[in-house]
Amino acid sequence: MSRRLLTHRRIENRMREPFRIAGYQFHSMPSVVVSLRQDGVCGRGEAAGVYYLDDDPGHMAAEIERVRPAIEAGAGRADLLQLLPHGGARNAIDCALWDLEAGLSGRSVCDMAGLGVAKPLVTTFTLPADTPAAILDRLASFPAAHALKLKLDGDLDADVARMRAVRVARPDIWLSVDANQGYGPESFDALAAALVENNVALLEQPNRRGEEAGLDGWRCPVPLAADESILDSQELERHASRFDVVNIKLDKCGGLTEALRMVELARKLGVRLMVGNMAGSSLAMAPAFVVGQVCEIVDLDGAWFLADDAVASSMYRAGTCVVPGGFWGGL
């Protein structure tokens, strides 16, 4: 094996419009791109990190530099699981390793992962926690969506108004809501009633991270998905009994390698599969698209919201997402 060279850079990922969720408003989603060059082949991976864990580009860059000698000396994906904890730095390197291996072997990442030929996936498109009028304006600008995710902010009256506005506008569509840790146990029942009233198909992360015990004894009338509550395989095992669905994100778990481990564990535990993203570019979406091949729910619309993503226009069509040929991982 010739010597491997690791480089990394930061990109801004400006959003077309500000995007509001519970407790945050995003104008961009800065990320780090790792490139690994070996034998004339370049593998790439991108990570935005986990904003609510202070896993920002500066932290990711420092972590990448810390393991640079081992990676350039030939450390592989299994080694990386020991070299770095879950999070953005490991994600970017892990995905670059997958892409590099695909280029060197002439196989696709889907084939390497035992998933066959990749197929287009129906993805949700996400609406911000905004006023009903602003939400409906945003909805009108979406491509032909078959599924929607509505962000909530923890203000029950405002959240009910948001749900009603979307349901009236699109009575036909599959609709989920994401509370982003905005609710406490005292409001769960009232929120549940609103979900039933508005024919919501999935509730994502009502509770704060670390307060999962507050869900014990509560029966949600719709499937309950964990996002912030479950980062990786260890937390999946710990909290599986409290959730029906796990939202696997590569930035949280630390890459495609760990994501595929989570898929196998979730199947054993009887937890349904969802794949999501932290709003990075098309390069961040591509490895998650591989995970999406085995998921019931796909939420990979992040690149569509960016102002400067040249690949996104060919990634989303008729409510589906697909990785353009030759872009990443031999897909």
Side-chain angles (χ1 to χ4, degrees), residues 82-166:
Q82 306 304 316
L83 290 169
L84 283 175
H86 57 70
R90 194 173 80 188
N91 177 30
I93 298 173
D94 180 74
C95 292
L97 285 167
W98 278 95
D99 190 25
L100 178 66
E101 186 176 337
L104 291 170
S105 68
R107 300 170 64 196
S108 74
V109 170
C110 269
D111 182 42
M112 289 160 54
L115 302 178
V117 178
K119 63 183 183 296
L121 302 172
V122 172
T123 181
T124 62
F125 287 87
T126 308
L127 294 160
D130 212 324
T131 65
I135 289 170
L136 294 180
D137 283 346
R138 188 77 67 101
L139 179 57
S141 72
F142 280 173
H146 301 299
L148 294 173
K149 175 194 277 193
L150 172 65
K151 294 287 189 177
L152 309 182
D153 71 358
D155 180 331
L156 182 62
D157 291 341
D159 285 339
V160 170
R162 293 175 179 117
M163 284 186 261
R164 286 174 177 162
V166 174

Side-chain angles (χ1 to χ4, degrees), residues 79-310:
D79 304 308
L80 186 60
L81 293 172
Q82 306 304 316
L83 290 169
L84 283 175
H86 57 70
R90 194 173 80 188
N91 177 30
I93 298 173
D94 180 74
C95 292
L97 285 167
W98 278 95
D99 190 25
L100 178 66
E101 186 176 337
L104 291 170
S105 68
R107 300 170 64 196
S108 74
V109 170
C110 269
D111 182 42
M112 289 160 54
L115 302 178
V117 178
K119 63 183 183 296
L121 302 172
V122 172
T123 181
T124 62
F125 287 87
T126 308
L127 294 160
D130 212 324
T131 65
I135 289 170
L136 294 180
D137 283 346
R138 188 77 67 101
L139 179 57
S141 72
F142 280 173
H146 301 299
L148 294 173
K149 175 194 277 193
L150 172 65
K151 294 287 189 177
L152 309 182
D153 71 358
D155 180 331
L156 182 62
D157 291 341
D159 285 339
V160 170
R162 293 175 179 117
M163 284 186 261
R164 286 174 177 162
V166 174
R167 184 47 81 199
V168 168
R170 290 298 307 269
D172 57 314
I173 205 161
W174 186 93
L175 175 63
S176 70
V177 297
D178 182 0
N180 281 118
Q181 309 181 77
Y183 282 85
E186 70 282 355
S187 302
F188 287 170
D189 287 340
L191 175 61
L195 302 178
V196 173
E197 176 191 344
N198 291 284
N199 191 24
V200 171
L202 181 77
L203 169 62
E204 189 174 349
Q205 198 64 45
N207 60 288
R208 296 173 186 85
R209 175 171 169 80
E211 298 182 6
E212 289 76 22
L215 297 168
D216 293 346
W218 181 59
R219 298 297 297 269
C220 187
V222 304
L224 183 62
D227 181 2
E228 290 90 343
S229 281
I230 295 179
L231 303 181
D232 61 4
S233 296
Q234 289 185 342
E235 294 190 350
L236 173 57
E237 196 150 21
R238 187 181 312 148
H239 298 305
S241 63
R242 294 180 166 121
F243 296 95
D244 305 294
V245 180
V246 58
N247 187 350
I248 299 173
K249 294 182 178 178
L250 275 63
D251 273 314
K252 292 190 307 179
C253 72
L256 179 57
T257 301
E258 173 67 7
L260 293 173
R261 289 174 59 180
M262 292 182 72
V263 166
E264 292 306 311
L265 179 59
R267 285 170 166 164
K268 292 176 183 176
L269 295 172
V271 178
R272 294 157 62 185
L273 294 167
M274 175 179 180
V275 65
N277 65 93
M278 302 298 286
S281 78
S282 299
L283 180 58
M285 299 302 105
F289 176 76
V290 174
V291 182
Q293 299 298 309
V294 294
C295 289
E296 178 183 343
I297 302 164
V298 174
D299 179 26
L300 296 180
D301 60 342
W304 190 85
F305 291 95
L306 300 184
D308 306 312
D309 192 315

